[in-house]
Amino acid sequence: MTDTLIDRRDLAFQLYEVLDTESLIPRDRFSEHNKDTFDAVIETADKMAREEFATHNSAADKDEPRFEDGQVKMLPQVKKAFDAYSEAGFIAGRYDYELGGMQLPESVMAACNGFFTAANPGTAGYPFLTTAAANLIRIFGNGQQQATFLPHMLTGRFTGTMALTEPHAGSSLADIRTSATPTEDGHYLIKGAKIYISGGEQSLTENIVHMVLAKIKGAPAGVKGISLFIVPKFRVDAEGNPEERNGVSLAGLIHKMGYRGTTSTALSFGDDAPCHGYLVGEPHQGLKYMFQMMNEARLGVGFGAAVIGYRGYMHSLEYAKDRLQGRKPSEKNPDSPQVPIIEHADVRRMLLAQKAYSEGGLALCLYGARLVDDQNTHPDEQKRVEAGKLLDLLTPVMKAWPSEYGPKANDLAIQVYGGAGYTREYPVEQCWRDNRLNPIHEGTNGIQALDLLGRKIWQDQSHGLQLLMQEMQVDLEAATTERCQQWALSLSETLQQAVKVTQSLGKSLMGGNNPDAVLANASCYLHLFGHITVAWMWLRQANVAAKALESASSNEERNFYNGKLQAAQYFFHWELPTVAQDLVLLRNQDDTCLNMQADWF
Ligand SMILES: Cc1cc2nc3c(=O)[nH]c(=O)nc-3n(C[C@H](O)[C@H](O)[C@H](O)COP(=O)(O)OP(=O)(O)OC[C@H]3O[C@@H](n4cnc5c(N)ncnc54)[C@H](O)[C@@H]3O)c2cc1C
């Protein structure tokens, strides 16, 4: 079992050689940072993740939280890790110095959080949700709400949750029923039920701040009638100190296949006692607020999926170097020593696929984090706007591609271990179970596909798509070695076919054809678009690696860059061609699934 969570050499390559993260340093917001401070914080995250988080990953999976004597019982190591994360300042890592933050770029914070998720996704869930909930209050809350809740959330005294889903309304938030009734005291009375709320009850902190979607009585129907409320477990005084219990209570803990360390809860609001909620921003704008935060949350899910995939890859790579089994087909002497399984081409296939998926997913999500940095801090306003458009377009891909291929990587890690992979004595089956959540939450991948093909592609007269193609063009032209040029050519040809098919789908959609027919194969489109985007990520890495290889001075460095080039080759030879089927199905607007009848099953 390895304790490597994410290969530091790879992370440095992606951050500094591919993304040029140092170019952020001259920006005002990061002026007090330099490469040493970035590296120091990454080093702290890696070390803390290994020492405080990874050490109880398996224990928390085996001994999941229980509800006993009116309390949620959790392993004490979870609180120790949560406190260490908070005390190191990671919850507020991105925030202004005035808020106690470190003003770190998203690129660096995303990398740091990658270590915690790779080490222990269940425990990492609590601080990550707290950052997300605090972000909503920081951006959309009023001054009093910010002063009351933020200091306690950012220091880890309180945690936060995101309470959207209801038993009858998951993908379709338009249909939520939780209600909010205004009172003369300025607060609202919340009534309803939520389900699957992560971290909805725990024994880590004094208070929990739920960010709840609800409909104010008389609100418009559908998503236009949804508002956002702060609902604390304990009501608070003006300084935010917890006072009496609020009427939100645990209706039950949900038992899951993975991510077991994070409590999954059914919550009831206003059943046993009045439940006070405080409106955030304007009435009926709640889903808009949530969606403004979604880009980052969805990027976080994609990132998590990529690094859990990465973790399984690291485990199986080490195992494959140690495990002796069989001989090469060309070795006829049964007395010759057995070889480590990494010597078998089929095992290398499984390792290369994992490398291509997890390093490709990591590259994609780090690129997304860089877009967040550019959107927030690029000195040129036009570049800020463009980064926002690219981020918006790519969000469904950044959420869905790693969450599809991260579990695939984990599946291959199990296969590399053989029988051992299927047992609970080895860590890779837990990676797969944990990662299997990622295609489901934060909008299922089916919903991401509809978002991409039904909305994002056409937004702003497809300006985002044009920007993406310009970005790709830069790297297509930067391919100088023969290998990279071959890959650039196949990417460019696939891209042209994808553009054609996009135009024909656009014509059908705009021409008033039945949108059900066009969107029926949205998942194929997401696969096509995702594979093209990740192929681009591999070309970017290959271009840098090919150049660096020319001047690499040690064997270690040459091995590293050759590994990058071979993984790029794997992606271009084995993966990109799989989109041919998507192109055919999309071009023909294949109606097999659309026309299947429920009664025919
Ligand atoms: C472990 C875990 C943690 C979670 N944490 C939270 C949390 O903290 N806060 C929170 O609010 N929620 C949370 N969720 C809920 C999660 O976001 C939902 O499960 C998810 O949005 C899907 O909703 P659903 O489960 O109701 O599935 P459904 O919406 O019933 O979907 C079932 C299937 O139908 C498909 N489908 C649905 N509608 C369409 C459509 N229009 N077109 C095509 N296909 C469609 C879906 O893609 C899916 O395959 C969590 C869930 C889990 C399992």
Side-chain angles (χ1 to χ4, degrees), residues 129 162-165 169-172 195-198 256 264 437 440-444 446-447 450:
L129 283 159
M162 309 291 266
L164 292 72
T165 308
S171 300
S172 182
I195 195 167
Y196 299 128
I197 307 309
S198 301
K256 314 185 289 291
S264 230
L437 171 62
I440 297 172
H441 69 158
E442 278 300 336
T444 63
I447 296 298
L450 291 174

Side-chain angles (χ1 to χ4, degrees), residues 65-68 70-74 201-203 250 253 263:
R66 292 183 305 271
F67 190 60
E68 283 174 10
Q71 266 201 333
V72 173
K73 296 269 161 60
M74 300 164 70
E201 189 56 87
Q202 35 81 351
S203 50
L250 180 70
L253 286 180
T263 51

Side-chain angles (χ1 to χ4, degrees), residues 381-414:
E381 196 199 335
Q382 195 189 331
K383 293 279 179 206
R384 289 202 294 276
V385 172
E386 289 178 0
K389 287 184 178 180
L390 279 167
L391 187 63
D392 223 28
L393 171 70
L394 287 175
T395 292
V397 179
M398 289 169 179
K399 190 272 172 182
W401 196 92
S403 67
E404 198 71 33
Y405 283 88
K408 278 196 184 12
N410 293 144
D411 186 73
L412 288 165
I414 294 172

